Amino acid sequence: MTTSPEPTVTATTLPGYTPGTWAIDPVHTEVAFAVRHLGVANVRGRFDEFTGEIVLAENPLESSVTATIQIASVSTGHEQRDNHIRSEEFLNAAEFPEMTFRSTEIRVGDGDGFLVDGELSVHGATQPVTLDLELIGFGKGYQDRPVVGFTATTQISRKAFGVHGGPTSAMLGDAIKITLDVEAALVQ
């Protein structure tokens, strides 16, 4: 029995690939989530304040990403719900003001995609997560500054991070779907 070789990715196989440090552009990026409510509908929201850095290495699979999200910036379009999410019953923004992500490995995924393994820290707990990443591509932004765009998705268990939700917990699903639509600009 023969096995197929591992897929290879190089800077030359990714059109426009430019090694360097890239800053996530908060104006053109969305950090969104969805959770099942009462088992019949999704409640969607986003975080409006975040920073992040992507370091693209000469070998794309040796690249890294870090991001920090401000919990108090949660927005679901409903002020009372947003305040409840910030409260001690959920994310406890007063005690845990940030959630962070740090990549640990990048692998070739299915098709043209990548898998970004990393550690997500929320509510004082750190858990491994894998982002399913689709590279949209490289281009030129304002004043011909190089930009890159991608979409990444994952699903986490809120209970694995100690987010139980108090008396209203039974109304919400445990699975949180996360979608990141990211644009970043080359800074060096």
Side-chain angles (χ1 to χ4, degrees):
M1 178 174 155
T2 61
T3 59
S4 2
E6 285 291 315
T8 58
V9 174
T10 66
T12 58
T13 62
L14 300 171
Y17 186 87
T18 305
T21 301
W22 300 70
I24 293 175
D25 178 355
V27 175
H28 298 103
T29 297
E30 182 177 60
V31 176
F33 64 89
V35 61
R36 188 76 66 195
H37 182 253
L38 297 174
V40 298
N42 282 322
V43 172
R44 299 181 188 284
R46 66 181 191 277
F47 291 93
D48 293 329
E49 295 177 22
F50 47 85
T51 58
E53 180 179 88
I54 302 163
V55 178
L56 296 182
E58 291 293 330
N59 174 351
L61 298 180
E62 294 175 0
S63 299
S64 64
V65 61
T66 56
T68 301
I69 299 165
Q70 301 303 313
I71 297 296
S73 73
V74 68
S75 176
T76 64
H78 189 272
E79 185 178 354
Q80 183 179 0
R81 179 172 48 222
D82 294 348
N83 289 334
H84 195 200
I85 293 170
R86 292 179 191 110
S87 77
E88 291 177 12
E89 286 188 0
F90 281 96
L91 294 178
N92 195 356
E95 187 173 345
F96 307 106
E98 298 176 337
M99 78 173 80
T100 60
F101 175 80
R102 180 184 67 82
S103 66
T104 56
E105 182 180 14
I106 298 177
R107 302 176 281 137
V108 175
D110 294 334
D112 293 335
F114 296 88
L115 298 172
V116 180
D117 298 319
E119 296 176 342
L120 180 65
S121 297
V122 181
H123 199 253
T126 300
Q127 296 288 329
V129 298
T130 298
L131 300 173
D132 188 358
L133 185 135
E134 175 192 1
L135 176 64
I136 306 299
F138 293 86
K140 294 288 183 183
Y142 180 68
Q143 296 183 335
D144 287 335
R145 187 175 183 186
V147 293
V148 62
F150 60 86
T151 297
T153 59
T154 193
Q155 183 170 297
I156 63 171
S157 158
R158 67 180 168 86
K159 292 177 185 174
F161 289 92
V163 178
H164 297 288
T168 60
S169 181
M171 296 182 210
L172 297 175
D174 180 44
I176 309 290
K177 296 176 185 177
I178 299 171
T179 303
L180 310 168
D181 288 302
V182 176
E183 182 176 307
L186 185 64
V187 293
Q188 59 180 356

